[in-house]
Amino acid sequence: MSSAIEVTGLRQAFHGRTVLDGVDLSVEHGEIFALLGPNGAGKTTLISILTTLLRPDAGTVVVAGHDVRADPRGVRRRIALTGQSAAVDDVLTGAENLRMVARLHGVRRDEARDLAAAALERAGLTDAATRRVATYSGGMRRRLDLALSLLVRPEVLFLDEPTTGLDTRSRLDLWNAVRELAGTGTTVFLTTQYLEEADRLADRVAVLDTGRIVALDTAAALTSRIGEETVEVRTADGAVTRSIPTDGTVGGLRTALDALGTAHDGDLVAVRRPTLDDVFLALTADGSPR
């Protein structure tokens, strides 16, 4: 079976400036795939091309088995997109927004009502179901927008910085919803400014910088490239005074502790593993995770 997303030799330029410079990418069915990159790396441009909002200059892009240039309508019938700004109707209530989208997907009226009620409950918006969206806070609007994307299961779901503006509980609830959706076979392609989100959620992570994919692997594999674990000694105010590499074994830890020599009784010792933050800083030009 072909991949859910296949990108080959993708190029895009604006006013003579190259934004995407030969991007190759393959995302499998049911995979949660995260795209990271600094400002100006080309993430939004790539999402726009994948969702048929922008026609590519060159290259081949196939989403859910349909070419974005030859059959954009076929792509749109099989995807859902949540952008960085909430795309909800302020005049309608939360429940009316959800019922309307369900009906546009061909769901029967009674089933649309049930789907809307369940979606409102998952989004924590049941008490606001009959309020006009114009009265919602920014976080409530974002949760409703995400509920709209998750209402009817698409083949591929695109989430562009989905948890921006959400509190911790809402972010965790969204992560669970995304995992459940992927478990039913939906492919999830997300961009995020939260590196922890990519680490916790994604099966694989790609790093885009200056229009090129500079790394693509699991989060664990990417962090292992940066280096070994280290034993850090910190003062009471958090300043790192010593950092000793270790291989993560008990023996390696004992060796590192022995190498500390004399330390102050008030110092703190911790084992630090490389993170996606370290990967990002090592691989991108400016280290700005957006």
Side-chain angles (χ1 to χ4, degrees):
M1 183 181 295
S2 62
S3 301
I5 300 172
E6 285 284 354
V7 179
T8 306
L10 178 60
R11 297 183 182 277
Q12 187 70 40
F14 298 107
H15 307 295
R17 185 177 74 87
T18 299
V19 178
L20 297 176
D21 189 13
V23 171
D24 296 321
L25 200 60
S26 180
V27 181
E28 300 305 313
H29 292 278
E31 183 176 17
I32 302 175
F33 188 93
L35 181 68
L36 307 178
N39 286 325
K43 300 190 307 300
T44 298
T45 300
L46 179 55
I47 284 275
S48 296
I49 291 172
L50 292 172
T51 56
T52 76
L53 297 175
L54 180 65
R55 187 177 177 86
D57 290 339
T60 302
V61 180
V62 178
V63 177
H66 297 262
D67 188 285
V68 298
R69 281 193 285 196
D71 188 14
R73 184 174 298 179
V75 173
R76 289 193 288 268
R77 282 199 296 261
R78 290 162 176 81
I79 68 172
L81 166 66
T82 294
Q84 295 182 25
S85 300
V88 293
D89 192 320
D90 286 348
V91 175
L92 301 178
T93 67
E96 287 169 343
N97 267 278
L98 287 158
R99 290 199 299 268
M100 176 184 68
V101 169
R103 293 288 287 160
L104 289 172
H105 278 88
V107 177
R108 296 193 314 272
R109 191 179 301 278
D110 56 342
E111 187 180 352
R113 185 171 56 250
D114 293 341
L115 281 174
L120 287 163
E121 184 175 359
R122 285 195 303 270
L125 294 171
T126 300
D127 291 342
T130 59
R131 283 172 46 190
R132 288 178 55 189
V133 173
T135 68
Y136 282 18
S137 68
M140 292 170 69
R141 290 168 61 89
R142 189 59 172 163
R143 277 149 49 202
L144 177 61
D145 192 31
L146 291 164
L148 290 168
S149 293
L150 299 172
L151 187 63
V152 179
R153 182 168 69 87
E155 289 186 37
V156 184
L157 173 63
F158 293 94
L159 300 173
D160 194 6
E161 299 191 5
T163 57
T164 299
L166 295 184
D167 57 36
T168 300
R169 170 53 56 190
S170 296
R171 184 176 297 124
L172 292 174
D173 288 343
L174 174 67
W175 290 359
N176 289 332
V178 168
R179 290 189 187 102
E180 290 175 7
L181 195 64
T184 66
T186 292
T187 302
V188 180
F189 188 107
L190 69 94
T191 69
T192 179
Q193 60 176 304
Y194 301 111
L195 300 183
E196 179 197 10
E197 184 164 81
D199 196 5
R200 295 269 299 272
L201 194 59
D203 297 307
R204 289 189 301 153
V205 177
V207 180
L208 183 70
D209 191 38
T210 60
R212 294 175 177 270
I213 300 292
V214 294
L216 197 167
D217 213 323
T218 64
L222 289 176
T223 54
S224 69
R225 298 183 191 179
I226 299 303
E228 300 175 324
E229 297 178 350
T230 57
V231 174
E232 291 184 345
V233 180
R234 295 176 179 268
T235 62
D237 60 4
V240 177
T241 59
R242 297 285 301 280
S243 182
I244 302 173
T246 177
D247 60 7
T249 65
V250 173
L253 181 58
R254 288 198 181 102
T255 300
L257 290 173
D258 290 342
L260 292 177
T262 58
H264 297 94
D265 289 341
D267 287 344
L268 303 174
V269 178
V271 177
R272 181 181 181 277
R273 292 186 174 92
T275 67
L276 277 182
D277 298 77
D278 300 311
V279 174
F280 196 93
L281 291 170
L283 293 176
T284 62
D286 64 16
S288 172
R290 285 185 62 85

